[in-house]
Amino acid sequence: MTSALPHTDLPSAGIPPLEVSDLTVRFAGLTALDSVTFTVRPGTVHALIGPNGAGKSTCFNVLTGVYRATEGSVRLGEQELTGLPPHRIADLGVARIFQNLALPPHATVEDSLLLGRHRLTRTGFLAAGLRLPSAAREDRRHRARVREIAEFVGIADCLGHPAGSLPYGRQKLAELARALCMEPKVLLLDEPVAGMTADERRRTAAVIAGVRDSLGISIVLVEHDMGVVMRLADSVTVLDFGRRIADGAPGDVQNDPAVIRAYLGEEATQQ
């Protein structure tokens, strides 16, 4: 169960839309994405789903600057993201959580979350090394914010523990908290409940809903658990072989014949 998150550096209003237009990615003649278009409305959960190999991970990699688009555009409000390196896209407010755990196992959870505050740190190396009062004040402010976010996500009791000692589900929540420490405008979640128990899935889904409802952050969700997708998503885009085959409200997409064929196969749908 999440608690309300106090004042954030990010205003809940004024989050820009994330607009993906005619996105195409080719690798040595193979088309991984073919003119994919969708818009993530501000403060919503937008699910990106499809069978294995549909192009979901490729799309995430373009959104975060890991891959370059062959054609098309990705815009966050008025800001063009296409072609920018990953650190610039992160600076503009796009945070990502990967499917695999990426926490430093021997660092405490608090120190791991502080890594998410790095782009917001203004203290220079010299001031920090000399422990100047300005550096100490900023460090206290960042640690206070880390504690607020940890409380919101439900891991405040773990801050002093090594990240690697946490159960799997709590490590995933710690990664979500670290991303929130960046104060993002858009949060990309790559299979956030994969490998979790039913209870951990429910808890994580509640946190994700709280991020949207309490903070107004836009969320792009890749997830194979259709129960979680249908409960959380405001909109769904379905990919198959790199092409968009459906886009709309979860209920409409779930009943779309093209989506059913993509997941079950032509023969299965005719039985």
Side-chain angles (χ1 to χ4, degrees):
M1 188 71 178
T2 62
S3 61
L5 188 60
H7 170 73
T8 172
D9 296 338
L10 173 70
S12 58
I15 301 295
L18 179 70
E19 298 176 295
V20 177
S21 303
D22 297 318
L23 197 63
T24 298
V25 178
R26 298 189 186 95
F27 301 110
L30 173 68
T31 301
L33 289 177
D34 189 357
S35 297
V36 171
T37 295
F38 62 89
T39 297
V40 181
R41 301 192 311 276
T44 65
V45 174
H46 192 111
L48 191 63
I49 67 172
N52 289 332
K56 305 181 298 294
S57 294
T58 298
C59 188
F60 259 35
N61 284 332
V62 173
L63 296 182
T64 53
V66 177
Y67 292 166
R68 281 182 175 268
T70 308
E71 298 171 14
S73 171
V74 179
R75 298 182 68 87
L76 183 60
E78 297 300 315
Q79 180 66 54
E80 180 67 57
L81 303 185
T82 314
L84 294 181
H87 73 275
R88 284 287 296 123
I89 293 175
D91 286 343
L92 291 168
V94 178
R96 177 179 182 178
I97 297 176
F98 291 85
Q99 181 180 354
N100 298 322
L101 292 171
L103 294 170
H106 302 297
T108 65
V109 173
E110 181 177 18
D111 286 342
S112 297
L113 267 55
L114 280 168
L115 292 174
R117 307 294 296 176
H118 176 72
R119 78 176 187 90
L120 304 170
T121 300
R122 301 292 175 258
T123 300
F125 176 77
L126 184 60
L130 294 175
R131 300 181 182 275
L132 297 182
S134 60
R137 283 194 299 271
E138 184 175 45
D139 181 69
R140 286 195 298 272
R141 181 169 63 85
H142 284 310
R143 289 183 184 276
R145 185 61 178 157
V146 161
R147 289 192 294 273
E148 290 175 354
I149 291 172
E151 183 71 31
F152 176 78
V153 171
I155 58 167
D157 58 330
C158 301
L159 284 173
H161 300 176
S165 70
L166 269 57
Y168 176 79
R170 288 205 141 194
Q171 288 191 53
K172 295 284 281 188
L173 285 176
E175 289 204 327
L176 176 57
R178 183 172 63 175
L180 291 176
C181 284
M182 295 173 61
E183 308 289 355
K185 299 174 183 175
V186 179
L187 184 60
L188 275 58
L189 304 180
D190 191 352
E191 298 194 33
V193 303
M196 290 185 177
T197 65
D199 184 59
E200 289 171 339
R201 287 198 299 272
R202 285 192 295 270
R203 189 176 307 163
T204 302
V207 172
I208 294 170
V211 170
R212 172 194 58 198
D213 299 339
S214 299
L215 305 183
I217 294 173
S218 304
I219 297 171
V220 187
L221 172 71
V222 167
E223 181 53 61
H224 287 291
D225 186 324
M226 288 299 103
V228 169
V229 169
M230 293 300 147
R231 285 198 304 273
L232 285 179
D234 301 292
S235 300
V236 180
T237 296
V238 187
L239 301 180
D240 190 29
F241 293 108
R243 295 182 178 179
R244 191 188 80 176
I245 61 170
D247 186 84
D252 294 338
V253 166
Q254 190 177 32
N255 296 316
D256 189 304
V259 175
I260 295 171
R261 282 195 300 272
Y263 274 95
L264 300 181
E266 188 75 44
E267 294 182 3
T269 61
Q270 294 176 352
Q271 291 178 359

